[in-house]
Amino acid sequence: MRPIIGITASMELGKDEYTVELADTEAIVRAGGLPIMLPHITSAKELDELAEHIDGLFLAGGYDIDPTLFGEEPHPGLGVIIPSRDRFELELLEKVMEKNKPVLAICRGAQILNIAAGGDMYQDTPSQLSGNLLQHQQRAPKEHGSHFVEVQEGSLLHRLTDSLKLKVNSRHHQSNRQVPDSYIISGIASDGVIEAIESKEHPFVLGVQWHPENMARTGDAASLRIFEGFVRACTEEGDE
C-alpha cells in the first residue's frame, strides 16, 4: 500500500473553495505516495482521527502567516493571511508530531513549522533584514534554480540530497528569523536568509524555503530525492 500523505490546502479570500498545486500532488505520486487534500477542520476529535489516518504531512506553500501568532502586529509589507489555515496547520502539526510522523514543509510551510515550535519570522524580509539581499522572489520560471543554498554537513537535508550546496528556486518575501533550540538550521543562503530547518527530536521533520515540487517536474535530482526520502519515511511509518 502506498503511504497516505496529507497535503494542506490553500484558500482565496472571499471564495469558499480549497485548492492544491498540481506540482505538489505530482511530486508525491512520483515518489510513491498517495496524496489527499486536507480541509481546514477544527474539531479536536476530527483532528485526532486525521492525524491517525495519514502516514505523513506535507505543509504546502501559500499566503502569509498571521503575525499575532508570534507576538507581533501587522507590518506594512504583510500580505494576505488566511487565519483558518494558520489555526488548522498549527493544531494538526502538534498532533502529527506527537505521533512522530514525518513532516515535509515547503515555503510558507517551513515558516508555520518554525512558529509551531516557538520560533518567529520576518513578515517582509526585504524591508526587515538589512544587507545586500538576493532576489528571493525570482523573476524566472517556477522550476528555475535562481540562487544557492549551503547545506549543513550531516543534516537530514544533506543525507537526502547528498549535496552540501544546492541550487534552488525562490518565491517568498517572508522567512524564518529566530529558530528554537529544538531545531537546527540546515540550509542558508549567501545573504544569511534561513533556507532550511529540521527537528532534532524527530526522525523526519524538514522545512525548506524553496519549492522542490516545481524543480522535481524537470527531473532535478536533489528535489526528487527530498520527496523520495519523505515518502520512504512515511512508508516506514505506515508499516509500523
Side-chain angles (χ1 to χ4, degrees):
M1 293 285 291
R2 287 173 172 247
I4 298 173
I5 313 297
I7 301 179
T8 55
S10 186
M11 289 185 72
E12 297 287 337
L13 281 178
K15 293 186 178 181
D16 292 329
E17 59 187 36
Y18 295 113
T19 61
V20 297
E21 293 282 343
L22 287 177
D24 293 337
T25 60
E26 289 170 0
I28 290 170
V29 169
R30 182 171 181 173
L34 182 63
I36 60 170
M37 183 178 70
L38 305 179
H40 304 167
I41 59 178
T42 56
S43 161
K45 182 176 184 297
E46 291 170 346
L47 282 166
D48 282 333
E49 292 179 3
L50 188 58
E52 183 63 36
H53 279 85
I54 61 175
D55 297 309
L57 177 62
F58 180 86
L59 293 169
Y63 287 125
D64 289 3
I65 297 170
D66 182 359
T68 64
L69 294 171
F70 50 94
E72 293 185 3
E73 294 184 279
H75 182 277
L78 180 71
V80 173
I81 64 170
I82 306 293
S84 65
R85 182 177 182 183
D86 294 340
R87 291 193 301 271
F88 167 65
E89 291 185 346
L90 289 171
E91 291 173 7
L92 181 60
L93 251 178
E94 180 180 2
K95 295 180 181 298
V96 167
M97 293 181 70
E98 282 176 355
K99 297 178 183 297
N100 216 28
K101 294 189 176 185
V103 177
L104 177 59
I106 301 295
C107 197
R108 168 207 152 86
Q111 296 153 15
I112 203 78
L113 179 66
N114 189 46
I115 291 167
D120 63 19
M121 60 186 286
Y122 294 109
Q123 295 185 48
D124 183 52
T125 308
S127 61
Q128 290 186 289
L129 184 59
S130 60
N132 295 320
L133 293 180
L134 299 175
Q135 185 185 84
H136 288 279
Q137 291 180 296
Q138 68 185 46
R139 293 187 285 274
K142 288 183 177 181
E143 67 276 6
H144 174 70
S146 63
H147 72 80
F148 294 96
V149 169
E150 299 291 336
V151 178
Q152 180 172 315
E153 187 171 1
S155 64
L156 173 61
L157 183 59
H158 178 212
R159 298 195 302 273
L160 289 171
T161 62
D162 193 30
S163 179
L164 293 174
K165 189 173 185 178
L166 300 173
K167 191 178 183 182
V168 306
N169 53 358
S170 194
R171 303 200 315 273
H172 65 99
H173 82 104
Q174 297 193 311
S175 60
N176 286 324
R177 181 170 53 195
Q178 298 295 326
V179 176
D181 290 340
S182 56
Y183 279 68
I184 66 166
I185 297 170
S186 56
I188 193 163
S190 62
D191 59 4
V193 169
I194 294 171
E195 292 282 343
I197 62 171
E198 54 193 65
S199 174
K200 298 177 182 177
E201 301 171 352
H202 301 81
F204 197 116
V205 173
L206 172 66
V208 300
Q209 189 60 70
W210 64 95
H211 289 268
E213 73 279 12
N214 296 132
M215 298 185 72
R217 276 183 154 179
T218 62
D220 178 71
S223 300
L224 292 170
R225 287 173 184 155
I226 288 172
F227 279 97
E228 289 166 354
F230 172 55
V231 171
R232 185 166 56 249
C234 295
T235 302
E236 294 165 357
E237 169 62 33
D239 289 341
E240 291 181 359

